[in-house]
Amino acid sequence: QVMEMIAEIFVNLPFDRALEMEADQVGLMMAAKACYDVREAPAIWQVMEMIAEIFVNLPFDRALEMEADQVGLMMAAKACYDVREAPAIWQVMEMIAEDPLEKDKDWEFLSTHPVHQTRYQSLSEQLSSALQIRFNCGCSKLDTNCDPQMFVRDFEKYLQQTNHVTTK
């Protein structure tokens, strides 16, 4: 019965669309098919595609973004850049962001990218290992007087003085 359902799903799809389907989409379609005839209820098809997008594709995209942040941080460390800048930039981005998909963790599941706070927290957690990599590569010491967190605090004060809303 399962194979018949899979075959029927593919028969009712354009060939090129059937070839690009992923296993999770087939599973969702099978669940829909078990309850409804997909051909008679195109809205079910659209709902199932939206569910697959929100619960399968978007989390994968966010995971790729987080991995890219991690790889970028480690590459920057090996290249002797000031890796303390990485979390700081996401703090600033959060302060100036206006789109809720960039700021509000409650809506993060609807975005292809993690919210700025998630990126800041993740990069902050990785900072000590990045600094160790930087040290192991023989990079010069970082100037404690040029701590990016000082800029973040000053920028936040500026936003408050100019009546701009900050994240706090």
Side-chain angles (χ1 to χ4, degrees), residues 56-151:
V56 178
N57 297 339
L58 292 179
F60 181 69
D61 292 345
R62 287 191 300 275
L64 288 177
E65 286 294 325
M66 296 298 285
E67 182 180 12
D69 286 353
Q70 180 182 14
V71 170
L73 184 66
M74 297 309 148
M75 290 175 68
K78 289 180 180 181
C80 297
Y81 283 95
D82 187 349
V83 292
R84 301 173 301 174
E85 293 286 352
I89 189 67
W90 292 109
Q91 283 180 285
V92 170
M93 292 292 287
E94 184 175 14
M95 288 179 201
I96 63 174
E98 295 178 3
D99 185 348
L101 290 178
E102 295 176 0
K103 291 181 78 161
D104 193 340
K105 285 185 79 76
D106 292 337
W107 294 106
E108 186 173 42
F109 75 98
L110 291 175
S111 178
T112 57
H113 291 70
V115 294
H116 301 319
Q117 179 184 10
T118 299
R119 292 180 114 156
Y120 159 72
Q121 289 171 339
S122 175
L123 289 166
S124 293
E125 291 167 5
Q126 299 170 49
L127 199 54
S128 63
S129 62
L131 289 167
Q132 185 62 49
I133 288 171
R134 200 177 177 286
F135 175 78
N136 293 343
C137 288
C139 302
S140 61
K141 282 189 158 193
L142 293 171
D143 184 355
T144 56
N145 294 321
C146 293
D147 184 354
Q149 287 303 313
M150 291 172 21
F151 170 78

Side-chain angles (χ1 to χ4, degrees), residues 17 25 44-54 57:
R17 175 77 173 113
Q25 292 171 317
I44 297 293
W45 175 274
Q46 290 175 334
V47 168
M48 297 309 281
E49 283 186 335
M50 287 190 312
I51 290 171
E53 183 68 21
I54 291 171
N57 297 339

Side-chain angles (χ1 to χ4, degrees), residues 26-37:
V26 173
L28 288 170
M29 289 171 42
M30 285 175 54
K33 185 72 173 160
C35 299
Y36 300 97
D37 185 343

